[in-house]
Amino acid sequence: MTHKPGKFLTFEGGEGLGKTTNIPFVQDYLQGRDIRVVTTREPGGTQLAEKIRQLLLDTKGETIFEQTELLLMFAARSQHIQHVIKPALAQGYWVLCDRFTDATYAYQGGGRGISTDAITWLEQWVQGELRPDLTLLFDAPIEIGMARAAQRKATVDRFEAEKLNFFERVREAYLTKAQQNPDRIKTINAEQPLLLVQQDIIAVLDELIGRLPNSA
Ligand code: T5A
């Protein structure tokens, strides 16, 4: 049996701005429209990629150099694409992914200062033609996300331990990417109360669903 290929939706933004909170909400909303959904995350999503995630987030052990960090992100992504994302899309599932390559442009590019050319080369090599169909970018002043994340958990991972100006550069890189890709990346004001955030999300999803063939 052949399936209509699914859609690839990614959730992006700085720390603690509501990606993880809103993915189940989007999942429920889409399932309510009879859309089959798979949820996953990066780095991670397969057994090996989750092990790479642990290495990347661990605050102990030897220094991880920027280049190593970038390559580990794409090593995990390669596994994830081949084992999870592509098979699910081919079977007609919509894939909801907590972070993807826009995070690499923001954190390794903006945050660490790695050249866009290097990231673009790896993106092309590892992903081929695969790009998200839609990206929800949760945006707010970084202090808001940090305060929310701090309320939720006591420990910080290796990225959360970075300084404020690192996260300013991450936010800037995300916003630049959104400006460059206005059709794909929809910026959501994450400073609002959750109810309003979710109204904005529904508006974006309805717009996408409305553009599908036979959606009427
Ligand atoms: N990374 C990842 C890279 O450097 N390069 C890459 O290529 C990739 C893929 C792990 C790290 O990996 C880095 C970036 C990350 O540092 P992660 O697990 O997605 O990635 O990390 P976090 O962003 O740290 O995930 P968080 O779970 O902390 O943030 P979320 O998911 O954005 O926030 P969430 O939903 O957990 O919300 C935080 C708190 O705020 C509340 C929630 O209830 C929760 O308590 N909240 C709100 N409160 C009030 N109003 C609202 N509108 C709210 N929305 C949420």
Side-chain angles (χ1 to χ4, degrees), residues 15-21 53 77 99 104 108 152 192:
E15 309 289 313
L17 287 177
K19 294 172 288 82
T20 315
T21 304
R53 178 188 177 91
R77 184 160 299 140
R99 297 194 187 277
T104 312
Q108 282 63 54
R152 200 201 38 190
Q192 308 175 90

Side-chain angles (χ1 to χ4, degrees), residues 5-74:
K7 295 278 173 200
F8 184 27
L9 274 53
T10 59
F11 296 73
E12 297 280 2
E15 309 289 313
L17 287 177
K19 294 172 288 82
T20 315
T21 304
N22 285 301
I23 288 175
F25 170 77
V26 172
Q27 179 178 17
D28 285 351
Y29 188 74
L30 294 176
Q31 284 173 341
R33 311 284 299 252
D34 290 329
I35 292 169
R36 296 182 306 154
V37 172
V38 166
T39 64
T40 186
R41 68 173 180 183
E42 289 214 350
T46 78
Q47 242 179 3
L48 177 60
E50 288 290 330
K51 286 185 183 165
I52 297 174
R53 178 188 177 91
Q54 284 171 16
L55 296 174
L56 280 162
L57 298 189
D58 195 356
T59 49
K60 298 183 278 297
E62 70 193 49
T63 303
I64 301 180
F65 292 105
E66 287 150 15
Q67 226 175 14
T68 316
E69 184 179 281
L70 174 69
L71 293 170
L72 285 172
M73 289 294 175
F74 272 104

Side-chain angles (χ1 to χ4, degrees), residues 9-183:
L9 274 53
T10 59
F11 296 73
E12 297 280 2
E15 309 289 313
L17 287 177
K19 294 172 288 82
T20 315
T21 304
N22 285 301
I23 288 175
F25 170 77
V26 172
Q27 179 178 17
D28 285 351
Y29 188 74
L30 294 176
Q31 284 173 341
R33 311 284 299 252
D34 290 329
I35 292 169
R36 296 182 306 154
V37 172
V38 166
T39 64
T40 186
R41 68 173 180 183
E42 289 214 350
T46 78
Q47 242 179 3
L48 177 60
E50 288 290 330
K51 286 185 183 165
I52 297 174
R53 178 188 177 91
Q54 284 171 16
L55 296 174
L56 280 162
L57 298 189
D58 195 356
T59 49
K60 298 183 278 297
E62 70 193 49
T63 303
I64 301 180
F65 292 105
E66 287 150 15
Q67 226 175 14
T68 316
E69 184 179 281
L70 174 69
L71 293 170
L72 285 172
M73 289 294 175
F74 272 104
R77 184 160 299 140
S78 175
Q79 286 296 112
H80 191 208
I81 289 170
Q82 299 305 334
H83 278 300
V84 176
I85 299 175
K86 278 190 174 172
L89 291 173
Q91 288 175 54
Y93 286 89
W94 285 34
V95 176
L96 311 184
C97 189
D98 193 337
R99 297 194 187 277
F100 194 63
T101 307
D102 291 318
T104 312
Y105 282 102
Y107 282 77
Q108 282 63 54
R112 304 279 189 230
I114 292 179
S115 80
T116 302
D117 285 353
I119 300 172
T120 303
W121 190 87
L122 284 165
E123 178 182 40
Q124 194 55 42
W125 190 49
V126 169
Q127 295 172 216
E129 295 302 304
L130 179 72
R131 299 289 181 280
D133 295 293
L134 173 71
T135 298
L136 297 176
L137 172 60
F138 293 84
D139 178 66
I142 52 176
E143 294 81 2
I144 291 186
M146 291 188 140
R148 286 182 190 163
Q151 269 186 342
R152 200 201 38 190
K153 55 179 186 177
T155 55
V156 291
D157 65 38
R158 204 173 57 83
F159 290 99
E160 290 162 344
E162 285 294 336
K163 301 209 164 45
L164 228 56
N165 60 4
F166 174 87
F167 295 109
E168 293 287 7
R169 293 196 299 276
V170 167
R171 184 181 185 203
E172 202 52 44
Y174 266 132
L175 292 173
T176 301
K177 199 86 177 130
Q179 270 172 5
Q180 291 165 346
N181 299 271
D183 291 338

